Amino acid sequence: MTQLLKINRQNRFDSLQPSALIAFGDSAIRLRKKLLSFDDEKLSNLQGVFADNLLFVAGETDNLPWIDGGIYLGKDANAPSIFLPTNLRPDIPIDLFEKVLLGKFAEQKPFVVVGNNIIPIGKMLPVSRQLLSEVL
């Protein structure tokens, strides 16, 4: 996880369609538990990245679990390599924001921008029971 200088954000009035979910700490533990309750077919429709104290899963909106404390993410068509909270956007044009991030972190794309953090997720793996049993 890379921390940036302060990223000013503003509310989106055109919320993004959720296509991913990220959870930290206790919420990540709840997300793992929820995913383990899914059948194998539903799990196979998700991809994820798992790291210390965080879980990220991506997939179709209908396949995403819904948990308290998770941050639901989507992609803006003008910045396809960034997952952003569905209800927030940077206060600069999104395509310019993406160009700046790609200039610094192109080899790590796609990535999540949450708060002032950039989280590379370029190496997503299919979500499986075996993988979930090895995390957290």
Side-chain angles (χ1 to χ4, degrees):
M1 189 165 17
T2 303
Q3 196 157 28
L4 292 175
L5 297 174
K6 183 154 176 60
I7 301 168
N8 294 317
R9 294 168 302 281
Q10 50 190 232
N11 290 330
R12 292 185 73 98
F13 297 105
D14 58 339
S15 292
L16 299 172
Q17 179 76 18
S19 59
L21 165 65
I22 193 164
F24 303 90
D26 290 341
S27 295
I29 293 167
R30 283 191 297 275
L31 175 55
R32 179 182 174 268
K33 186 176 182 178
K34 183 74 166 188
L35 289 169
L36 285 169
S37 75
F38 284 8
D39 63 37
D40 290 339
E41 183 179 342
K42 191 166 184 176
L43 278 178
S44 72
N45 292 316
L46 299 171
Q47 293 187 346
V49 171
F50 312 102
D52 292 338
N53 212 27
L54 84 83
L55 280 155
F56 168 89
V57 292
E60 297 294 322
T61 302
D62 293 342
N63 292 324
L64 293 174
W66 293 92
I67 61 156
D68 287 335
I71 301 169
Y72 294 91
L73 308 164
K75 286 188 175 184
D76 187 302
N78 294 314
S81 50
I82 305 172
F83 285 94
L84 294 164
T86 58
N87 63 339
L88 297 173
R89 64 179 176 81
D91 68 350
I92 63 173
I94 191 71
D95 55 337
L96 178 60
F97 182 65
E98 181 185 48
K99 284 181 185 178
V100 169
L101 293 179
L102 287 172
K104 292 185 174 195
F105 306 105
E107 70 284 350
Q108 299 175 343
K109 74 176 186 176
F111 36 79
V112 173
V113 176
V114 176
N116 291 326
N117 296 305
I118 296 174
I119 303 160
I121 54 165
K123 307 246 189 268
M124 287 188 274
L125 301 170
V127 177
S128 68
R129 235 168 266 298
Q130 178 181 349
L131 187 61
L132 289 169
S133 68
E134 297 172 4
V135 298
L136 298 179

